[in-house]
Amino acid sequence: METTNDFLKDELTGKGLRPSYHRLKVLAYLHDVQSHPTADEIFAFLSPQIPSLSKATIYNTLNSFVEAGLARLISIDGLEKRYDAALHNHGHFQCESCGAIFNFKINIDRFAIDDLALFEIKEKDVYFKGLCPDCRSQGQKQKE
Ligand SMILES: [Zn+2]
Ligand SMILES: [Zn+2]
């Protein structure tokens, strides 16, 4: 998906957020990398381009995105907070060796969850863990 400035501005104003320069930069980065970066990774990438940027601004910006429903906070191991601007129905696979998080297509709505008929579901997350193809092939090489 191409992320033009107009698209990002519409995303922000559609959720009631003012399309400030910092918000546009952070949202563009989330859409472009799709690697589920941490706040520190976003700061490390953007701060050379935007000298006025502080870590507090990054945290505030990410919080406002999550509250507005523009990004999802994902924390598979419960420790590291990562951010995802891909809101379509998808699951996450985290590699236990390199820590990378991959998206995979899954129709979460097709799961029959009769046990929760009386519950209000606000979020559906599907997490898988294992080894990514790169780490698998490295492991195989080491065994040889
Ligand atoms: Zn890996
Ligand atoms: Zn994702």
Side-chain angles (χ1 to χ4, degrees):
M1 187 173 26
E2 201 189 333
T3 46
T4 63
N5 238 7
D6 281 346
F7 169 80
L8 296 171
K9 273 184 190 161
D10 287 349
E11 285 261 279
L12 288 166
T13 51
K15 297 287 186 184
L17 293 175
R18 198 170 54 82
S20 69
Y21 180 67
H22 290 154
R23 283 182 180 150
L24 283 168
K25 281 288 189 187
V26 174
L27 193 59
Y29 182 68
L30 281 178
H31 274 281
D32 288 344
V33 293
Q34 305 244 332
S35 64
H36 312 87
T38 63
D40 285 343
E41 284 167 5
I42 299 168
F43 180 74
F45 178 83
L46 290 178
S47 62
Q49 301 174 31
I50 316 169
S52 63
L53 192 67
S54 69
K55 266 196 190 174
T57 304
I58 294 279
Y59 283 112
N60 290 338
T61 303
L62 290 168
N63 282 339
S64 68
F65 288 174
V66 172
E67 275 170 31
L70 280 172
R72 275 165 58 181
L73 174 65
I74 52 176
S75 183
I76 295 178
D77 56 11
L79 301 169
E80 209 174 32
K81 288 181 178 173
R82 293 171 165 274
Y83 294 88
D84 190 357
L87 298 170
H88 57 270
N89 237 339
H90 67 275
H92 290 120
F93 179 100
Q94 184 165 42
C95 176
E96 290 176 335
S97 179
C98 67
I101 296 178
F102 303 86
N103 292 333
F104 60 89
K105 288 200 196 86
I106 185 172
N107 192 341
I108 296 175
D109 293 327
R110 278 182 56 191
F111 284 109
I113 32 177
D114 296 338
D115 290 348
L116 298 178
L118 299 175
F119 291 69
E120 180 190 347
I121 299 167
K122 292 190 172 175
E123 244 183 78
K124 295 178 178 178
D125 292 315
V126 174
Y127 293 142
F128 287 13
K129 285 183 187 176
L131 290 175
C132 75
D134 283 353
C135 292
R136 275 189 72 194
S137 62
Q138 268 171 25
Q140 273 156 8
K141 270 182 216 139
Q142 279 162 12
K143 276 179 215 155
E144 280 166 14

